Amino acid sequence: MRNLGTPDEPYDLIGLGFGPSNVALAIAVQEIAPDRRCLFLERSPDMRWHEGMLIDGTRMQISFLKDLVSLRNLTSPFTFLQYEKAKGRLEKFVNLAEFRPTRLEFQDYLRWVAAQFADLVRYHSAVRAVTPVRDDDGALSLFRVTATDTTTGEVVEYHARNLVHALGGVPRVPEAVTLGPTVLHSSAFLPTVPRTFTDHDREWEFAVAGDGQSAGEIAHYFLDRYRNSRVHLILPGYSLRATDNNPFANEQYFEANADDFSSRREENRRAWAASLRNTNYGVVEEGFLDDLYRLTYADEVRGRTRLQVHGDSKVTRAGADGAGIRIGVESRFGGESQVLRADGLVLATGYRRRLDPTMYHDVLPYLETDGDGRPVVSRDHRVRATEELTCGLYVQGFAEATHGLGDTLLSLLPFRSKQIITAIAKDGGSLARAFPPARPDAGPDAATLGALIDRCGSGTLVSACPGEFPVATRLPLVLDRHRGRNGVLFGVLDRTDPQLPLLDGGKVLAVFQPDAAPPGEPQAGDPMSIDVRGCARLVTDRDRLVAHLARVGPPDRGPAARAGGSVGIEIEIEGLSGRFPLSPEPRAARAESERQP
Ligand code: NAP
């Protein structure tokens, strides 16, 4: 067994998987924190992206400008346009006047970027287990990652202070379905179907389950390439529906709106996600639906019907049966389930996101989970954990419930990778040295500390650039007790403040030093300080800024925000501690004794 990234010299981060999310992270590491030691483990022999669905001619559903980095850094050497230039196609691409490249070309772009980080990736590495390692102080400060080399069978161990999990979704397959060469999930479509159904003239009976983009593209593929086939499309709704691509709804995939989403209450987020579902899930791009309909109409003209839609239905069972397969279909409205016979079934039923319970067996007990058993993920994409687990587990694409529908998509990758590497660089570097962790709510009770913060008005905000010394600025800050687990500090900065880029998405320490003590508290002159550790983020949306100000109510700051020269800063409080001498007896008892003659 070889040891790389030893406990004595661990990696700052190990990325699990090297798909688009972690390729974007590799770019961000190079551009934002190049001194961090990182490694990526990928099971495939090279970088792959939904290869099962790279059907010829299918297009991206977003603009090429939503590549891995452009929206964060237009001057990066890893943009899609840099790729076009490197391939000698830039002018031709511009000549196409096409915002949405084919998926095949986008995959080529992803591979072009990935190739430039080849020295940071171990391909053929299948991660088997992640285990927290206890240090001499009793903290679980490192992760051990055990991986198997898929070519040699060798088991390799790596150690890291942080992991970034980006292994993608798992195919959603009903329990009573037995997969095989003729019953498959859409993720295995291209590697399987052309090889299994070689005769393109035969009168095949195909079935497709689902109503999303994958189902639409697969139904079209069958009808187009197997000219005598019939296709049964089994879908949960009344009919296929078009993706809501309107630009207003699409604004939910903006960075600022993802921030807004995650700041809402849970029931609010659920309702919002449900109303926006048709911008992504269970829908087919409108132009593609037209193509599919034209194809079926051309069949009608020839006097045959080849697409049969079974609406309000779901596939519940399926398996091989003699030469064909048997498919159990249940109606949404109850009643007898019907049985369909076909030669092939493709489940275009989407994906589930969860942390593999076997891989994370030793880590799961330390992770915070929500009512539905999902890990609770902070705004910087770190899974919240018990205090004992001080190494960081970050996830990409596993926080849709708290971070919005964009969490599983490409749109936000440039921003997310920045948030993650900024947090990691600060946690593992100068910030960790500058701000040793405090127990949350340590010292006097949180209510006392909160009251003192209210009275202070201003705090000194300390942040650190990766690899550099902390920098500090004094800022008026108010405490909003109604948001976040421990409250949220809110303040307003000038847009030109040079601190801005250093504060965004990072860990900060706010130090409050009340100058005069309230009755019953230490008297003026006593050394007093309240430390608030938290995670900062900027609020650039003017309406939100004004709304926040109205809620927390510092009247003098409203006009400044309305004038447009301001940016809000929110600090979600993670830890709160006070350092000042309280008398040994409880405050209430002391007040009582002071009234005695
Ligand atoms: P999807 O949008 O999640 O759609 C899967 C659908 O299958 C859901 O509506 C689901 O309904 C339904 N379903 C689940 N179980 C079923 C069953 N047993 N029988 C019948 N229907 C069932 O999945 P997708 O189409 O694979 O798309 C996933 C993502 O990939 C989307 O973001 C999509 O835009 C993207 N994509 C992009 C392209 C492209 O860029 N060209 C191509 C393909 C996919 P319930 O949720 O009600 O269970």
Side-chain angles (χ1 to χ4, degrees), residues 293-374:
Y293 198 77
R294 279 196 197 98
L295 215 142
T296 61
Y297 184 78
D299 276 341
E300 302 281 336
V301 172
R302 288 191 199 97
R304 55 190 194 163
T305 302
R306 292 196 302 138
L307 179 66
Q308 194 168 344
V309 177
H310 304 258
D312 302 313
S313 302
K314 280 202 161 180
V315 167
T316 49
R317 301 180 310 281
D321 182 28
I325 54 172
R326 218 176 126 86
I327 306 166
V329 178
E330 260 171 32
S331 161
R332 185 154 66 121
F333 303 118
E336 294 243 326
S337 64
Q338 39 156 333
V339 174
L340 276 176
R341 289 182 184 281
D343 299 299
L345 165 67
V346 183
L347 297 156
T349 44
Y351 297 83
R352 277 184 302 126
R353 304 259 168 173
R354 60 169 191 151
L355 292 180
D356 182 332
T358 308
M359 185 188 293
Y360 282 99
H361 179 267
D362 295 339
V363 182
L364 288 173
Y366 301 100
L367 303 184
E368 210 178 289
T369 48
D370 67 11
D372 295 327
R374 292 174 299 217

Side-chain angles (χ1 to χ4, degrees), residues 53 58-61 103 172 174 186 209-215 217 234-236 241 277 280-283 313-316 347-351 409:
M53 282 300 294
T58 54
R59 293 201 168 272
M60 296 295 293
Q61 296 181 287
R103 287 168 64 77
R172 196 143 67 109
S186 57
D211 56 358
Q213 186 69 25
S214 300
E217 290 182 7
I234 302 151
L235 46 88
R241 282 162 305 178
R277 186 177 188 269
N280 183 50
Y281 291 118
V283 284
S313 302
K314 280 202 161 180
V315 167
T316 49
L347 297 156
T349 44
Y351 297 83
L409 305 179

